[in-house]
Amino acid sequence: MTTEIVLVLGLLAVAVVLFVAEKPRADVVALMLLGGLAITGLIDPREALSGFSSPAVVTVGAVFVISGGLSKTGVANVLGRQVLRLAGTGEVRLMVAIMLVSAVLSGFMNNVGATALLLPVVMDLARRSGIAPSKLLIPLAFSSLLGGMLTLIGTPPNILVAEAARGHGLGELGMFAFTPVGASVLVVGIAYMVLIGRHLLPTRDIRLSSGEGDLRGMFGLHKRLLIVRLPDDSPLDGRTVAECRVQSALGLTIIGIVRGGRTRLAPAPNDLLQAGDQLVVEGRPSRLEELRDSPVLNVGEEQLTLEDAASGDVGLLALRVAEGSGLIGKTLREVDFRRRFGGVVVLSVRRAGGFHHSQIDELTLEAADALVVQASPAEVVELIAHEDFEAAELGEAGARELDSHLLRVTLPAGSLLVGHTPAESRLDKAFGLTILALIRDGHELSRPEPTEVMRAGDGLIVKGDPEDLDVIRGLQTLEVERRAEQRVEDLESSRVGLAVVAISPNARIARHSLRDLRFREKYGLSVLAIWRQGRILRTGVGDERLLFGDALLLHGPRESLSILASEPDFLVLTEEMQQAPRVSRAPWALACLGLVLGVTLAGWLPIYVAAVIGATLMVLGGCLTIDDAYREIEWRAVILIAAMLPLGIAMERTGTAAFLTERVVALVGGAGPYGLLAGVFLLAVAAAQVMPTAAVALLLAPIAIETAVEVGVSPMSLVMAVAVGASTSFISPVTHPSNVLVMGPGGYRFGDYAKVGLPLAVLVGIVVLVVVPLVWPFDVAAATGSPLEGATFDAEGLARG
């Protein structure tokens, strides 16, 4: 084994470990691998970028756009809806229809796109038929994977193995070269799901429009509904819903306000509360009971000044946001100001002569805003020199304004805050109070560390609105009258509704929290719960970072729900709320697809040229805008493929491919052609459970071809095993985005996929062993019309196209 082989295998091993860990993202891992190959000299710089001009990459990108055109014009949606409605309401007939429609669409569309398109339709059919969505959504996802095996453009692994075959002199694979094997797998897959698989599927239902039992069974909403009352002398009288801090301090979401015997559902943040109001809230009463039974703070009477908050080595400074600053248009939360600038605390924001003291983390910064910060001398020097800031004067009026918002409080024995750190106290998030200094045994600790544990008797200097202390007292007087015996219908009206939405596959909001997104302010909707990987998250949902596959339970105005349906980041699982497709352009979209298929089948143009022309015509014909086209492209997949392709060049040049081929031949070569076919298939399936399917195809296709040449069997039989094995992603939800997409709406857990998917993967392997040798015989002479004599391993040709 040479040094170069060791380097290639080492880089590959690191990449596989990172793929399994899913940190960083797969496309970033591929770029890291590409950089490693170039830095070590295993490939030259020009070869490192050769993958970005590969026909395979171009084809994959163009197919995403064509898929988007079919989706935006409603072609697939109308076809799916009509066929599924003809199937009736029986579980078996409905399951067969869903799998057939999903598979056919996936043969010509992106797998995930077809699943996302049919998901609301299937949810609606489940509601009408009374069948739990969990009985239909795994079949939907699995059939999209099976359908991708039907055609050349059905899934990236097919495109990649076809390009590998072409690059190694095995001839062009036509549009329907995969169909005999793919159709056999599909038939067996449907039969399995109907006869066996459906009995292994769980019965869970998170639908919201067929009665209270759905919510009782899944989100458990009925167990978390409370009615609390504002007493006649409540300090919250006259405050808005947002100002009363019921959600931030107590974790309770106000669903409705009962006043004078009438209920106003989904109140707006600026709606006023009145003494005697009954609030229908969702959440646990534990925080409220804890707040009522224990003191929080004792408030001192003396007036504080800025000098009290600027002792020791920490002072106050006014900074103006400079013109052209990168902070403009962002909130302090978005830029993570405190961590970015080493613990500096922003006390207030002055704008147009006025000060903003409350919820300043959510304030979008503008040029010329003045930030009043608490900083050390070293931090002051650094901030003044920073390009984002200019020095500013606070002024006497500004000092008086801040003085009025400084308070001294003490922690009495038994306080909820005793034994907690400032970070754990949530004083800022819950009540808008920022801790500036801690006083203990006569000594003042300015800007205490977030890990400092607070004790009984500690004094705190805090910045906040004095009226916020009235809010604390008002929350302590809330009276829990009873648990609300509400049905789902009681939470809805002609104006207000409940809905479940899923995070869409290409969502840009993934990894952001609802608080960061200012979801409530932007859409006017409350998130009551999140269904994630078989668990329901109800507490602190505002701070949860959203993940692809999450299902959100929303409550709010129907108009707002309809607006949300037009957002590309969300997939509303109610068909009537979906954005209206561009039906008038549907004939053009079909014509574009027909053109791509026609010229490819006729041999007039290679698929990568035909697909680009078809995608361009989709945009020119108004099926989707150019911005839509860019959004439809799954750039992670494109970058992953382009960055992984040079690995083939490195493997060939260094002898790594030959080295691995020898090991494969030594391991299974003696088992005969069927043993070799089974070994390659199992290797592809195993790799697909931990690596992106495109990476599996890129890595194994060249090795399969050279192994076949080495042992004297048809390379095409092993290539087909790689293609099918890479798409056999049934065992875990995280192996394919289609599986993740249905996880939340179906209420699935991790084990559900293995229980149903593992037997299906075994059946697919049996089909491969039976059908592949019939279509692509092991005998080299009979396997293809193109003679294989003289065929060589040409990874460089693959990357060059």
Side-chain angles (χ1 to χ4, degrees):
M1 185 185 300
T2 66
T3 303
E4 289 183 329
I5 292 178
V6 172
L7 279 174
V8 172
L9 291 178
L11 290 171
L12 183 58
V14 171
V16 171
V17 170
L18 294 177
F19 281 140
V20 174
E22 298 183 334
K23 289 183 180 181
R25 283 181 359 190
D27 50 338
V28 178
V29 174
L31 289 171
M32 292 168 60
L33 177 61
L34 183 151
L37 293 171
I39 291 172
T40 54
L42 296 171
I43 53 176
D44 64 45
R46 187 177 297 275
E47 290 169 334
L49 300 179
S50 61
F52 289 91
S53 61
S54 166
V57 173
V58 174
T59 305
V60 169
V63 169
F64 280 128
V65 177
I66 293 172
S67 173
L70 295 173
S71 174
K72 293 289 185 183
T73 56
V75 171
N77 204 359
V78 171
L79 173 64
R81 190 186 304 119
Q82 295 304 320
V83 173
L84 293 177
R85 283 176 179 168
L86 289 175
T89 58
E91 182 180 330
V92 172
R93 292 179 60 187
L94 203 53
M95 182 179 290
V96 171
I98 288 170
M99 295 189 71
L100 282 174
V101 172
S102 173
V104 171
L105 291 178
S106 296
F108 302 97
M109 292 180 63
N110 171 24
N111 305 129
V112 186
T115 305
L117 196 66
L118 292 176
L119 183 53
V121 180
V122 174
M123 292 292 287
D124 190 59
L125 287 171
R127 177 183 63 82
R128 296 181 185 182
S129 63
I131 301 172
S134 61
K135 289 290 188 181
L136 301 175
L137 293 184
I138 275 184
L140 169 65
F142 284 6
S143 58
S144 75
L145 302 179
L146 295 170
M149 305 177 191
L150 289 172
T151 67
L152 172 64
I153 61 174
T155 186
N158 288 6
I159 296 172
L160 293 170
V161 299
E163 188 63 20
R166 187 190 68 83
H168 291 79
L170 303 182
E172 298 278 352
L173 286 177
M175 179 66 68
F176 297 105
F178 296 83
T179 304
V181 178
S184 302
V185 169
L186 176 61
V187 169
V188 170
I190 293 176
Y192 160 77
M193 290 303 303
V194 168
L195 299 175
I196 301 173
R198 68 188 181 95
H199 300 294
L200 303 176
L201 290 166
T203 302
R204 304 192 189 105
D205 196 343
I206 67 169
R207 294 167 299 160
L208 303 177
S209 51
S210 60
E212 61 180 283
D214 301 326
L215 287 177
R216 288 179 184 273
M218 288 304 298
F219 284 103
L221 190 57
H222 69 296
K223 299 178 182 178
R224 295 173 58 87
L225 290 179
L226 306 168
I227 291 181
V228 299
R229 180 178 176 273
L230 274 66
D232 294 336
D233 58 348
S234 173
L236 301 181
D237 181 24
R239 293 185 179 273
T240 66
V241 169
E243 290 170 344
C244 75
R245 298 184 177 273
V246 167
Q247 182 159 17
S248 60
L250 303 178
L252 302 175
T253 301
I254 300 178
I255 293 177
I257 301 175
V258 182
R259 181 182 300 159
R262 302 182 62 182
T263 301
R264 174 179 175 80
L265 292 173
N270 59 354
D271 283 351
L272 295 176
L273 301 179
Q274 293 181 11
D277 282 349
Q278 292 176 308
L279 308 181
V280 181
V281 299
E282 186 270 342
R284 292 182 178 178
S286 54
R287 285 189 189 174
L288 175 56
E289 293 166 354
E290 198 176 37
L291 187 65
R292 291 185 60 190
D293 296 338
S294 304
V296 181
L297 303 168
N298 287 337
V299 184
E301 299 294 334
E302 70 272 25
Q303 177 67 48
L304 300 182
T305 65
L306 292 179
E307 285 75 15
D308 295 297
S311 58
D313 63 346
V314 176
L316 299 180
L317 174 70
L319 297 169
R320 182 179 295 107
V321 179
E323 291 285 348
S325 166
L327 304 179
I328 295 173
K330 300 178 180 178
T331 67
L332 294 173
R333 182 186 301 279
E334 288 172 340
V335 299
D336 201 1
F337 190 94
R338 188 165 186 175
R339 188 176 69 173
R340 178 176 175 182
F341 294 101
V344 173
V345 178
V346 180
L347 304 183
S348 296
V349 178
R350 183 178 64 191
R351 176 179 297 170
F355 280 85
H356 294 268
H357 300 289
S358 300
Q359 297 181 320
I360 57 176
D361 278 356
E362 310 297 338
L363 189 67
T364 301
L365 297 177
E366 300 176 359
D369 279 351
L371 311 182
V372 182
V373 302
Q374 187 186 37
S376 67
E379 291 166 345
V380 168
V381 173
E382 183 179 348
L383 289 169
I384 292 177
H386 199 281
E387 60 182 5
D388 285 327
F389 304 112
E390 300 170 352
E393 292 293 333
L394 182 58
E396 185 176 343
R400 286 198 302 271
E401 170 77 17
L402 283 177
D403 286 347
S404 66
H405 285 77
L406 294 179
L407 308 166
R408 186 192 299 275
V409 299
T410 58
L411 305 186
S415 169
L416 292 174
L417 305 183
V418 172
H420 294 281
T421 66
E424 293 169 343
S425 72
R426 300 182 70 252
L427 276 177
D428 192 7
K429 290 182 180 179
F431 303 109
L433 302 175
T434 302
I435 299 176
L436 304 181
L438 185 149
I439 303 170
R440 179 179 296 159
D441 300 329
H443 300 287
E444 182 174 323
L445 177 62
S446 295
R447 214 170 69 190
E449 292 293 328
T451 55
E452 181 74 33
V453 177
M454 295 182 287
R455 308 173 189 171
D458 281 351
L460 300 176
I461 297 177
V462 300
K463 190 276 298 183
D465 192 324
E467 293 186 356
D468 285 335
L469 299 176
D470 288 335
V471 171
I472 297 177
R473 287 189 285 268
L475 293 175
Q476 289 177 313
T477 63
L478 289 177
E479 302 170 353
V480 180
E481 290 198 336
R482 60 184 172 86
R483 290 190 178 275
E485 294 299 329
Q486 300 269 350
R487 299 174 302 166
V488 173
E489 289 84 349
D490 297 327
L491 304 180
E492 298 184 285
S493 67
S494 59
R495 186 185 67 86
V496 176
L498 283 158
V500 173
V501 303
I503 306 301
S504 66
N506 298 325
R508 291 168 292 183
I509 63 171
R511 304 291 177 182
H512 292 81
S513 70
L514 293 166
R515 191 185 303 278
D516 292 337
L517 298 170
R518 306 182 72 181
F519 185 88
R520 180 75 173 87
E521 294 84 350
K522 184 175 181 180
Y523 297 107
L525 298 168
S526 298
V527 179
L528 304 183
I530 300 175
W531 181 273
R532 174 179 297 163
Q533 298 178 358
R535 297 186 301 118
I536 302 172
L537 308 177
R538 304 187 187 94
T539 304
V541 293
D543 295 318
E544 286 289 336
R545 294 189 179 275
L546 299 177
L547 303 177
F548 169 50
D550 284 350
L552 313 183
L553 173 60
L554 304 181
H555 183 252
R558 295 185 185 276
E559 181 181 356
S560 298
L561 292 171
S562 298
I563 293 173
L564 190 73
S566 64
E567 293 284 338
D569 289 329
F570 299 97
L571 184 62
V572 178
L573 305 182
T574 307
E575 190 179 1
E576 57 266 24
M577 290 185 181
Q578 294 292 299
Q579 187 178 21
R582 300 165 185 160
V583 180
S584 62
R585 308 312 301 158
W588 182 267
L590 284 173
C592 291
L593 177 62
L595 175 67
V596 172
L597 297 178
V599 299
T600 303
L601 290 173
W604 297 340
L605 290 173
I607 180 60
Y608 48 90
V609 177
V612 169
I613 293 174
T616 305
L617 290 175
M618 284 279 191
V619 174
L620 292 177
C623 299
L624 71 173
T625 66
I626 187 63
D627 289 335
D628 289 335
Y630 283 119
R631 277 194 293 267
E632 291 293 334
I633 297 174
E634 178 52 70
W635 291 105
R636 297 182 187 184
V638 171
I639 297 298
L640 170 71
I641 295 169
M644 287 286 292
L645 277 170
L647 176 64
I649 300 175
M651 291 179 66
E652 164 63 12
R653 178 171 300 165
T654 61
T656 305
F659 175 81
L660 293 176
T661 298
E662 291 173 3
R663 299 304 178 274
V664 173
V665 172
L667 185 63
V668 295
Y674 281 96
L676 187 59
L677 183 65
V680 170
F681 174 78
L682 290 174
L683 181 60
V685 172
Q689 308 313 307
V690 297
M691 292 173 60
T693 57
V696 174
L698 283 168
L699 179 63
L700 296 186
I703 295 175
I705 292 172
E706 182 157 320
T707 299
V709 173
E710 180 74 18
V711 299
V713 302
S714 165
M716 292 310 305
S717 58
L718 299 191
V719 163
M720 284 294 158
V722 170
V724 176
S727 295
T728 305
S729 304
F730 309 126
I731 302 173
S732 166
V734 297
T735 54
H736 197 279
S738 288
N739 293 342
V740 179
L741 184 59
V742 302
M743 191 173 189
Y748 297 120
R749 301 187 176 96
F750 262 76
D752 296 328
Y753 290 85
K755 184 189 299 183
V756 182
L758 188 56
L760 178 57
V762 172
L763 287 175
V764 171
I766 294 172
V767 172
V768 167
L769 290 176
V770 173
V771 177
V772 167
L774 296 177
V775 181
W776 304 97
F778 293 126
D779 180 68
V780 173
T784 176
S786 301
L788 297 181
E789 183 178 355
T792 59
F793 183 80
D794 185 13
E796 297 185 37
L798 170 60
R800 290 194 305 269

